[in-house]
Each structure stands twice: as structure tokens, then as C-alpha cells.
Amino acid sequence: MQNKGLIKFFAILFALVSIYQLSFTFVANNVKSEAKAFAGDNPDKELKYLDSIGKEKVFNLGFTDFTYNEVKNKQLNKGLDLEGGINVILQISIKDVLKGLANNSKNPVFNKSLADATANLEGNKTYLNKFFEAFEANSNGTVKLASPDIFANRGLQGEGGIDFQMSDAQVQKVIKKKVDESVESAYKVLRERIDKFGVTQPNIQKLGETGRILVELPGAKDVDRIKKLLGGKAQLEFWETFKIEEIGNFLVASNEALKKTEIKKTETKTVAKDSLNALLTDAKDSVDTKKGNNPLFDKMIGQGGGPVLGYFAPKDTATVNAYFKRADIRILLGSDQHNAKFVWSKPTTLKDAKGKEVEAVELYALKGNRDNVPAMSGGVVTDAKDTFDQLGKPAVSMQMNSQGAKVWEELTGRAFSQKGYIAIVLDDIVYSAPGVTSGPIAGGRSEITGSFDVAETKDLANVLNAGKLPASADIIQSTVVGPSLGQAAIDAGTISSVLGFLLVCVWMVFYYGKAGWYANLALLLNLLFLFGIMASFGFVLTLPGIAGIVLTLGTAVDANIIIYERAKEELREGKSLSEAVQASYGWHGAMRSIIDANVTHVLTGAILFIFGTGPIKGFALTLLIGIVTSLFTSIFIARIFIDRNIVGKADLTFSTNITKNWFTNFHFDFIKIKKFTYIFSSIVVVVSLVSIFFVNGLDEGVDFVGGRTFQVKFEKPVDATVVSDELSAAFGTPVEAKVLGDDDQLKITTKYKIKEDGVAIDEEVNQKLYKALEKYFPNVTYDKFTNTFDGKKIGVLQSSKVGASISEDIKTNSYWAVLGAMAVIFLYLMISFRKWQYSLGAIAAVAHDVIFVLGIYSLCYKFMPFHMEMDQHFIAAILTVIGYSMNDTVIVFDRVREFIIGNRKGSFEDIVNASINTTLSRTLNTSLMMIIVLLTMFIFGGESIRGFIFAMLIGIVVGTYSSLFIATPVLVDTISSDEKHTIEDKHNKA
């Protein structure tokens, strides 16, 4: 081998760099262990401890040292499934951005196009493009985007803006740029909010041009709080309010009007004894009032007063909102009240007639105007701090700019003279509505008070300082993983990795003797390089990523197996050890096969990386890095050890006494039985397709159809069917509950309100889940049930949400990923082998494998003891199967090509049979390695990836079969008779 010294130099250099990079991970883990021991079970105390030592020196290398913050930033990043924490994908509302750019245009074509874009949004289509398509269809040339009442308004005129003369195509470019600027603005606002939140190693990134932003918060535990922090638009507004005596007559009249349409729906309740009750006693049907025949007032559960019109249960807010939106109700408003805006407060608690504490929200009527804008917006706030009010309760103090201070003084002066109230509204929720008792407030200082806790005031000050989002940010996908579940995943991954590594090492030594030891040393170095590269470039290690590493253990020795098998063939032909090694490492020896096999593997891994998201991208990345490091160590590092043996003892035989004659002189006629394999495979394919499309279908997970899943651990075993029925009744829609591993753990799936976005919806689902299961958790509060914390044993250990819009994208990406992988491989093989018949044989085998695996999942998902869902993990498994199936097929095809070029005698079928038989040892050895490591992961790798591993396990077995019994027969059958005769004549004459 040439340049051996240079290879040794780079190998030693890479090893030292890898050790250096990984040393930060070891130091960081030691510091975290010390922090955990110091804090006990208090996560806040642990975080404060780590923050306090952030600038302290914790790692000294002699020539330099590092603080904990520096060490933390250089450590190997762990994904949420290993670290625990929260992952969300936020969708910035492009619809809101367009409305803002159009200055809330009332143009009917514009608004219809917005609605059509929302209704007709498809997978992998951006909202902006759908809007442009809808506008073109709706306007039909009659209205231009550059119309004065749409985008050619004052706000968008000027340099780089829009004028009346521009075409729709020109306007589209400007709007696209403005939308990108809005998403960038949202990204910066979220970045600032997260930085102030105090989570270690947060990750936030924009996802292409989709208007989506990925946020990962490792170690974060307070689910509802973080979702509010991320999803809150932070649109602060100051509104004047109507008082109860001003709006009371409207409420009475509304109640009377609603009796005509809603009386049958009204439940009998005690009327709230408040100031409105006094108004009602003068009504002619006061007797009916006492009987509970009042659609509006019967929903009141507490007394109002001042700006508060009454207290209502949170569950009734949607109904009351619907009442006030009705045209026949709004017409009852007085002449000065037509623009009234009805809003609700933050939830609070009050005592009902029986003295029991109940949750309630206050109803307010804000003094709106024609343009629906507040008296003053929060843009004037220059600084906000969490503080305490005069009663010692948490509050937020604000400082306004000079313009805001002037408007605030006028506003408070008017409220003082009219004995009115000013509502402080954040994201359409009233936080407080104080009166003004001491005259106009000058200087621009103010305070937000209400039913806050300290954490809420900190977050509120945080979002006010960071600024408001340019549009609403809806959480369309989220995953919450508890730290205890993450540690369990690490333990399972470590056990499966170590055991898989040992089994591969034992087999290599058993089968190849001393050469197997060299392969194992190269494998060990390969793992060091792989982890070193991930640490160096800041890549994230996930649970599927660990699966990728374990798979790398199986594939890392594949190149060695190909080389060793070729060396054995050369030795059998009488060559010396050095000649055999030289030939096996040559291009016409094993190298061509290795390159072809790994290129197809890299192509599928790259497609998986491009189309995958989250942990699947981590799996693909680990797989791709593993392929590169495996090739380097297998081809170059193992060669160094082999060359040393040649110079020294020269006793290598690439086998042991037991295995030296295995698969030698093996002559099975694979082509002869092709009719039987065609029939068998055809039956399997037909049965699979019938099951998929007409009988069982596939168990599509929430990744494909949208929904929410919760992994819930109970104190004792429960009946999944009973829990499913109870939850279905509570949610009013079917809820699926399946056993996940042990009988005391369930995976709960619901599609309840999945098409509705918003933090309030997420919290509503969590509340419903808790209340429905509360009897199983008698001593567990809502916070402890929902949120994650160290040492958590029961309650929600993991939860995820996939919105309807992003699930459509995931499904579309999955289809394109599979089809794209097959198309790319077809083209590569056609270019490499220069005959389309090779590509067709390979694709026929791959299609067979994919249908076979899908069929198994369709036929078995209803009764298997583990989950067999169609999700992103499953698609990753399918693409991996495609890669490995190609790997096997390409090795056989390379041997076919070699024999055709050479002087092998016999018919074309004989040449193909010989190609399969002479590569059988490599095919079965590699497949056996894969099956060993996959079985190890299936048994020890954890419940969450068992279905994913099972798909690959089935795929590897089927892929080995199809390489031998489908790919090569198809090749034989599609090669023309004339070409076969030409090949046979050439070989037999020779």
C-alpha cells in the first residue's frame, strides 16, 4: 500500500482530535453529575448551580483551560429523546403577515384568496404560493395585487416597495421578500425570548422557506409555560372598557333574543346574584328567569362589577363568543356600542354558591372602533421588569417612550374624569383592568397586575422586552420527553450498542481468525472517529442515531468481509499472501464492488437526510458519517495491520480451521428455480397489496394523519380497553389506548381538535386527559401529571403533537423519499453498469422488498405485541432496507460483470449462477452481521424503536432473498437472446 506513512499520520491525528473533542463530553457529564448530587431532586437548584459555575475553570489541559460554559458548548449534543426536554415546530402565520402587509384590506378577492389558500393547502406547498394561485384564479385578471386597497398602500410604497404600475409577478417578488423579512423577525424575537428563558443549549433554526421555526429546549420541563412563551404573540394593547351599567341593557336584550333560538339547549342553573340580576327582576318574565330559562345568564357562575360583566366557566366561552358574533345579537348594541369587542380574562378561581372553588374567566366589553385598533398599542413600551405590587403580589412594571407617555397621560386622564377603566390586554386576553383614582398618570410608567405567579411575570417581562411577533406562531408539531425516559433510552442504547459490538467482534474472529481481530481493531477506531466527528461539528446524537451507530457496527465490517472473501479466492488460485492481498485491495478485486455498494447506500442515506426531520435526520446523519468512517478504517487501517503481518509472520489465511471450507465449491442453481421464486414472490406481493388497499390497510401514525400521542405510566396495570372508552367519553371523540411495553404503561392517541392551533387548545387537551385519568392518579396534581422532572415515575412521560398541515407534508415527503431513492439508484446503476437491465433487476428487488415489508405490517399490526405504525421512523427503516438490499444486489451484479468481462465458460445462466455462488459467503456473512445487531437492538434497544427495528429486520432478510432470487433472475430474463448468444460465443470460444 502506497503512502502508508501518510495514512498512519492522519489516522493518529484523527484519533487525537476525536479524543480531544470527546474529552469535553466526559468533563461536562462529570460536572452535571456533581450538580445533580448537590441539588438532590430539585431541578431548579441544579440549574442554578450550573449557572453559578458557568464561568469557573473546570477543565485544565496544561497548556490551556476551559470554563464550564466553554466545555458545555463543546460537548457531544444529545437529542431530546436522550436528554429529555421539549421540541416544537412553530408555523408563523403567513396569512397574518399578508393581512398586515395589505393593511387589513377589505377587498373581497383578497380575502377569498386567503380563505382558499387556507382550505386548499397541500403537502409541501407553501401558504404564500397557494395564495398567489388562489388570487390569480379568483381575480381572473380583474383585480391586481398592486391595487391601492391591497398591496399598493402607503405602508408598502417607496423604494423597494410596490407601486400601482407593477405586474402581479413583480408584486409577488416584493411580497415574498417582505414575508421572508417577517419570518426572520419572528426568528429573532423567539431567539431572544429563549435566550432569556435560561435553558441550557437551546437550538432554534428556520426550516427552509416554509415559514416554520424549529425550537429545541433540552432539559426544559414546564410544558404549558414554555408553550405559552413560544406561542404568545406578545401583542400588548391598552383599551378603554364599558362598565357593567353601560352594557347591561344589551346583555338583557341578548338574553331575551337568545331564548327564541337557544332555550332547548340551556341547562337549568342558579342565576348569578349580581348587578345584572337586579336588572332581570324588572323584566316581565322574571318568573321564567328563576327557572333557568336564560341562555346567556344561566352560564354565569359569579358576580360582575365595574368593567367585569360576569364570570363564566372556561368551557362556555366558545358558546358565549358565538352568541356575540351573531348579527341578530350585535344589532341590539346601543349606537355608541356597535364596535364593542368582547374579550376574556386569564383564568382565575372563585367560590360558587356551595363554597367550592371553581375555575372562571371574566367577561369584558372593550370600546372598539371602526378599524378595531386599541387606544394605545404596546409598541410604546421600552422596558419591562418583573416586580411586586403594593400588596406584595407579582406584577410587571413598564416604561413607555415619550410618545406613549403622552398618550398614556391622556388616556388615564379621561378614565379618571369619567370614572372608567383601562384594560391591559396581551394577545386578546385581559390581564387587568384598573381604574384611575389619582388623576392622569405622567411619565409613562405603568404596571400590569393580576393573578400571576413569579414565573409568569418573568415570562411576561421577557416577551415584552423581546418584542411582539409579526404574526401568530402556532405550534404545529411538538414532542415532550421526560428526563427519566431519556435516561432509560440512553441505558437501552448503551446496552444494545455494547452487546452488538461484542457479537460482531466474536463472529469476525470466529469466521476470519487473526484477520477478524484486525477488522475489530479497525471497527473500534471507527467508533472513535464517528463520535469524534459528531462532537467536532456539533451534530446531535438521538435514539435513532444510536440505532444508526449500531447498524454501522454491522456494515463497518462489510468492506472487510468483501476484501477477505476476495483474498481467500486469490489464495485458492495459488497466489502468495502478498499477491492475494494486493489483488483483493485492487479496483478489479474488491474496491469496485465496495464503491458501488456504498454509493447506493450513501444515496439512500442522503435522501433520508434531506426528507427526514428531527430524530430521523439524526439517524441519517449518523448513518452517513458511519459509512465514511467505516470505509476509511476498513480499507486503510485494517490494511496496515495486514501488511505488518505479511512483512512479519505472513500466517494469515482469512479463515479458521472450522470455517476455511465454508461455501467453497458451492454450486446451487439459483436461476433454475426462478419460476418457483417468481410464483412465491407474486403471491406475497398480491396478498400484501390486497391487505394494504382492501382489507387491513396500514396503521398510520400521527406523523401521517395528525394527532396527539401521550406515553402515560400508571401506578399499577390497567385495562387499555377501559381507559380507551373512558377517554373517548371525556373527549367526545374516539381515543385509542394501547399497551406500550408493560401493562402499566399506555400509548394514548387522539385527534381531538388537531386542526385547531394555539396554546389554549394544547392546554385544554392536557386538562381533559388529566381529569379523565385523575382517578388512576389520586395523589398527583395536574402539574406533576403533565410536566416532566427528574425521577418522574408516573404520569405523562412523553407526549407529541403533529398538526394536520405538517402531517400532510411529512406524508408527501415520505412518498417522495422512497420514490426518489429508487429513481436515483436506478440511474446510478444504469450509469455504472451501462445497461438498464441491471437497474431494472435491482429496482424489481427493491420494490418487492418494500411491498413485502408493508404487507407484513398491514397483516400483523393488529395483533403484534409492539407498535407497527406508519410514521417517519418506518420510512427511515424502508429507506435503510433499500440501501442494504442494493448493497447485496450490487455485489452480485459486480461479479456478473466481472465474469462477463473475463473468461468464464458456460451459458449466460451458468455465469450468473457462478456469480451468485462465489459471492454467497459475503452475502450471507453481511446479512448475518446485520441480523445479529438488529436482533440485539430489537431485544434491548427499547420499546420506542422496536417497530422501527422490526421493519429493518424483516427488510434485511427479505432483501437478502430478493438479491439472490429476484434481482438476478430479472436480469437474466431481460437480457436479449442475441446478447446472451454473443456473450456465450465469446466465452466458450476463448
Side-chain angles (χ1 to χ4, degrees):
M1 181 174 62
Q2 296 178 344
N3 301 318
K4 191 183 301 180
L6 188 62
I7 291 170
K8 286 182 180 179
F9 170 76
F10 278 115
I12 293 171
L13 181 63
F14 289 160
L16 291 175
V17 170
S18 297
I19 292 170
Y20 169 77
Q21 291 292 346
L22 291 172
S23 64
F24 294 101
T25 302
F26 291 115
V27 173
N29 287 338
N30 288 335
V31 174
K32 287 179 183 177
S33 297
E34 293 171 3
K36 198 175 290 290
F38 171 79
D41 292 329
N42 189 331
D44 293 331
K45 191 175 180 182
E46 179 185 339
L47 185 61
K48 288 179 181 177
Y49 175 85
L50 292 174
D51 286 341
S52 68
I53 64 168
K55 296 182 180 179
E56 292 184 14
K57 306 291 185 182
V58 296
F59 189 25
N60 191 330
L61 289 174
F63 58 90
T64 185
D65 48 28
F66 299 91
T67 65
Y68 173 67
N69 285 339
E70 291 171 331
V71 168
K72 179 180 67 178
N73 290 332
K74 290 177 176 290
Q75 69 176 328
L76 179 64
N77 296 323
K78 290 189 293 231
L80 297 186
D81 48 2
L82 299 179
E83 182 80 2
I86 298 174
N87 167 305
V88 301
I89 294 179
L90 295 159
Q91 175 71 66
I92 303 301
S93 175
I94 307 302
K95 181 178 181 179
D96 284 357
V97 175
L98 292 174
K99 279 185 174 180
L101 292 173
N103 202 19
N104 291 311
S105 172
K106 301 295 191 293
N107 185 286
V109 173
F110 172 77
N111 285 289
K112 185 176 188 308
S113 300
L114 290 176
D116 288 350
T118 303
N120 301 323
L121 196 60
E122 302 168 353
N124 268 6
K125 289 277 189 179
T126 66
Y127 182 90
L128 188 58
N129 287 334
K130 292 300 291 186
F131 166 76
F132 289 145
E133 290 175 10
F135 187 88
E136 184 178 351
N138 291 327
S139 67
N140 198 23
T142 59
V143 181
K144 293 177 62 179
L145 289 170
S147 297
D149 62 339
I150 303 182
F151 290 126
N153 54 61
R154 288 184 179 180
L156 286 177
Q157 289 179 359
E159 187 177 353
I162 297 171
D163 61 53
F164 311 123
Q165 307 302 320
M166 294 176 73
S167 66
D168 281 356
Q170 292 173 315
V171 173
Q172 287 177 12
K173 291 180 180 178
V174 178
I175 295 302
K176 186 177 184 304
K177 182 181 177 182
K178 295 293 183 183
V179 167
D180 289 343
E181 289 173 356
S182 295
V183 174
E184 181 66 28
S185 173
Y187 170 80
K188 290 178 179 177
V189 169
L190 290 168
R191 171 87 268 174
E192 192 168 347
R193 288 187 191 179
I194 292 165
D195 286 343
K196 293 180 179 179
F197 187 71
V199 178
T200 58
Q201 289 183 294
N203 173 39
I204 174 171
Q205 55 183 285
K206 291 183 292 181
L207 301 179
E209 298 181 354
T210 61
R212 292 172 182 162
I213 297 174
L214 169 69
V215 179
E216 290 183 323
L217 304 176
K221 299 174 175 67
D222 193 333
V223 179
D224 290 338
R225 180 186 172 194
I226 290 170
K227 287 185 176 180
K228 287 176 183 176
L229 176 75
L230 296 175
K233 190 176 177 181
Q235 183 169 317
L236 181 65
E237 299 171 337
F238 302 87
W239 294 78
E240 295 177 277
T241 71
F242 289 106
K243 290 177 282 189
I244 191 168
E245 53 265 30
E246 295 173 325
I247 208 79
N249 287 331
F250 162 71
L251 297 178
V252 173
S254 299
N255 186 66
E256 292 300 310
L258 289 167
K259 286 181 180 180
K260 300 175 183 177
T261 59
E262 303 295 314
I263 199 68
K264 293 181 181 179
K265 302 177 184 178
T266 306
E267 298 177 3
T268 301
K269 291 184 181 178
T270 303
V271 180
K273 295 180 179 180
D274 56 14
S275 53
L276 283 173
N277 203 19
L279 291 169
L280 286 167
T281 55
D282 294 331
K284 294 180 180 179
D285 57 349
S286 58
V287 175
D288 291 336
T289 296
K290 294 179 181 178
K291 294 178 181 178
N293 295 323
N294 298 280
L296 179 61
F297 296 139
D298 285 345
K299 296 188 181 301
M300 284 190 183
I301 59 174
Q303 177 179 342
V308 180
L309 306 185
Y311 290 83
F312 293 78
K315 67 181 180 64
D316 291 329
T317 56
T319 302
V320 176
N321 286 340
Y323 290 163
F324 291 151
K325 287 179 181 178
R326 284 171 44 170
D328 62 323
I329 299 299
R330 291 200 68 86
I331 202 172
L332 301 174
L333 287 162
S335 58
D336 61 337
Q337 301 169 350
H338 283 316
N339 295 310
K341 181 178 180 180
F342 294 93
V343 295
W344 303 94
S345 72
K346 280 181 76 248
T348 185
T349 56
L350 74 158
K351 292 184 179 180
D352 62 10
K354 297 181 181 179
K356 181 183 177 182
E357 285 193 349
V358 294
E359 189 177 43
V361 288
E362 302 161 344
L363 176 63
Y364 292 86
L366 308 181
K367 291 184 178 181
N369 49 47
R370 182 182 298 176
D371 296 324
N372 197 30
V373 295
M376 188 171 76
S377 73
V380 300
V381 175
T382 59
D383 185 42
K385 293 180 181 178
D386 56 299
T387 182
F388 295 90
D389 63 14
Q390 294 177 345
L391 300 176
K393 294 181 178 180
V396 175
S397 64
M398 298 178 297
Q399 177 63 52
M400 303 172 187
N401 59 25
S402 57
Q403 180 185 359
K406 182 180 178 180
V407 176
W408 183 242
E409 187 172 1
E410 295 173 359
L411 193 60
T412 53
R414 190 159 58 247
F416 173 72
S417 63
Q418 297 177 0
K419 295 184 180 180
Y421 300 85
I422 300 173
I424 301 174
V425 184
L426 183 71
D427 293 343
D428 284 333
I429 296 175
V430 177
Y431 276 72
S432 61
V436 181
T437 57
S438 56
I441 301 174
R445 290 208 67 84
S446 187
E447 189 174 67
I448 303 177
T449 59
S451 55
F452 296 112
D453 58 31
V454 174
E456 286 177 315
T457 56
K458 285 183 181 294
D459 291 344
L460 183 52
N462 177 1
V463 297
L464 290 177
N465 284 321
K468 73 173 186 177
L469 290 170
S472 61
D474 296 321
I475 297 175
I476 58 173
Q477 183 175 351
S478 67
T479 303
V480 180
V481 182
S484 56
L485 202 61
Q487 187 58 49
I490 292 174
D491 295 341
T494 302
I495 291 171
S496 60
S497 299
V498 172
L499 191 55
F501 177 78
L502 292 175
L503 289 173
V504 169
C505 289
V506 168
W507 178 258
M508 289 299 290
V509 172
F510 167 75
Y511 199 89
Y512 293 107
K514 186 181 288 188
W517 281 110
Y518 296 157
N520 291 341
L521 289 172
L523 180 60
L524 193 61
L525 199 57
N526 170 55
L527 290 176
L528 176 64
F529 289 164
L530 196 157
F531 281 112
I533 290 173
M534 294 191 71
S536 299
F537 291 96
F539 298 143
V540 178
L541 180 65
T542 62
L543 184 57
I546 291 180
I549 291 171
V550 177
L551 286 174
T552 299
L553 300 178
T555 57
V557 294
D558 182 50
N560 286 122
I561 291 174
I562 297 172
I563 292 167
Y564 291 175
E565 291 298 323
R566 186 65 185 222
K568 285 197 292 186
E569 292 177 6
E570 301 293 340
L571 287 172
R572 291 190 196 106
E573 292 180 3
K575 291 182 180 179
S576 66
L577 178 60
S578 64
E579 291 173 337
V581 169
Q582 189 72 26
S584 63
Y585 276 93
W587 178 253
H588 295 292
M591 286 305 104
R592 189 168 189 171
S593 298
I594 291 171
I595 296 303
D596 276 337
N598 281 279
V599 166
T600 57
H601 207 174
V602 167
L603 290 173
T604 55
I607 288 171
L608 184 57
F609 182 79
I610 292 168
F611 288 99
T613 59
I616 301 307
K617 195 178 285 284
F619 169 75
L621 183 64
T622 307
L623 209 58
L624 289 170
I625 296 171
I627 291 170
V628 176
T629 56
S630 297
L631 287 175
F632 177 76
T633 54
S634 299
I635 295 173
F636 296 109
I637 303 302
R639 176 74 183 273
I640 290 173
F641 294 121
I642 291 172
D643 285 349
R644 287 187 62 185
N645 183 276
I646 292 173
V647 174
K649 295 182 179 180
D651 59 349
L652 277 182
T653 59
F654 300 99
S655 62
T656 63
N657 291 331
I658 299 173
T659 62
K660 64 181 179 181
N661 293 320
W662 286 15
F663 299 105
T664 57
N665 299 316
F666 195 81
H667 303 291
F668 183 79
D669 195 340
F670 289 89
I671 305 302
K672 185 178 181 180
I673 64 167
K674 66 180 180 179
K675 289 183 180 179
F676 300 103
T677 57
Y678 280 167
I679 292 171
F680 170 74
S681 293
S682 297
I683 292 172
V684 169
V685 167
V686 169
V687 170
S688 297
L689 293 175
V690 169
S691 179
I692 293 167
F693 292 106
F694 303 106
V695 183
N696 289 334
L698 291 161
D699 186 15
E700 292 187 299
V702 294
D703 281 357
F704 282 8
V705 296
R708 293 177 173 85
T709 62
F710 301 87
Q711 184 175 334
V712 181
K713 185 80 169 178
F714 294 78
E715 291 182 332
K716 57 184 69 174
V718 294
D719 188 325
T721 304
V722 172
V723 172
S724 178
D725 292 341
E726 292 172 345
L727 290 171
S728 297
F731 281 90
T733 185
V735 177
E736 182 182 68
K738 293 180 179 179
V739 174
L740 184 66
D742 300 325
D743 290 342
D744 60 352
Q745 185 168 254
L746 298 181
K747 181 178 182 181
I748 296 168
T749 305
T750 175
K751 295 183 178 67
Y752 178 75
K753 290 190 176 181
I754 195 58
K755 292 187 177 180
E756 298 180 39
D757 293 314
V759 176
I761 300 296
D762 293 340
E763 191 169 352
E764 178 190 346
V765 173
N766 289 340
Q767 289 280 4
K768 280 182 174 291
L769 182 70
Y770 171 68
K771 289 176 181 177
L773 300 179
E774 191 173 7
K775 67 178 183 181
Y776 297 101
F777 301 92
N779 301 314
V780 179
T781 63
Y782 168 77
D783 286 339
K784 287 188 178 292
F785 175 81
T786 304
N787 295 319
T788 63
F789 52 87
D790 291 325
K792 184 173 184 178
K793 302 294 184 184
I794 58 174
V796 178
L797 302 183
Q798 180 175 0
S799 65
S800 65
K801 167 193 170 182
V802 180
S805 60
I806 198 168
S807 68
E808 196 65 35
D809 288 357
I810 292 171
K811 184 185 290 188
T812 303
N813 282 342
S814 298
Y815 292 152
W816 281 116
V818 174
L819 294 174
M822 295 173 71
V824 168
I825 289 172
F826 182 91
L827 290 174
Y828 173 75
L829 292 181
M830 192 163 64
I831 293 170
S832 178
F833 287 88
R834 296 183 177 85
K835 285 187 182 294
W836 62 266
Q837 290 90 342
Y838 288 94
S839 297
L840 182 62
I843 293 303
V846 165
H848 167 274
D849 299 343
V850 171
I851 294 172
F852 197 109
V853 175
L854 288 171
I856 290 290
Y857 267 60
S858 176
L859 291 166
C860 302
Y861 77 84
K862 292 184 178 180
F863 58 84
M864 278 296 207
F866 52 88
H867 295 288
M868 302 176 71
E869 292 180 347
M870 282 278 291
D871 56 14
Q872 292 188 83
H873 290 82
F874 179 81
I875 296 302
I878 289 293
L879 288 173
T880 307
V881 166
I882 289 173
Y884 288 118
S885 179
M886 285 296 95
N887 214 329
D888 282 341
T889 302
V890 165
I891 295 299
V892 176
F893 283 179
D894 265 318
R895 184 56 60 92
V896 172
R897 177 172 55 187
E898 178 189 341
F899 281 178
I900 289 175
I901 294 173
N903 298 318
R904 192 87 183 191
K905 296 187 181 297
S907 66
F908 184 78
E909 285 78 4
D910 293 336
I911 293 173
V912 173
N913 263 322
S915 302
I916 301 173
N917 281 294
T918 54
T919 56
L920 195 59
S921 178
R922 178 267 161 197
T923 300
L924 296 182
N925 250 329
T926 301
S927 297
L928 182 62
M929 290 295 96
M930 293 303 306
I931 290 169
I932 287 174
V933 295
L934 287 171
L935 270 176
T936 303
M937 288 208 68
F938 182 77
I939 297 169
F940 299 102
E943 186 67 34
S944 61
I945 59 171
R946 192 154 286 152
F948 164 59
I949 297 299
F950 182 73
M952 284 195 285
L953 192 57
I954 296 297
I956 295 303
V957 174
V958 176
T960 304
Y961 160 83
S962 67
S963 297
L964 301 175
F965 297 103
I966 301 297
T968 44
V970 169
L971 171 65
V972 170
D973 289 342
T974 52
I975 293 285
S976 67
S977 299
D978 291 341
E979 190 170 353
K980 288 179 184 177
H981 289 317
T982 302
I983 294 171
E984 290 167 357
D985 289 344
K986 171 192 168 185
H987 282 255
N988 292 324
K989 285 178 181 177

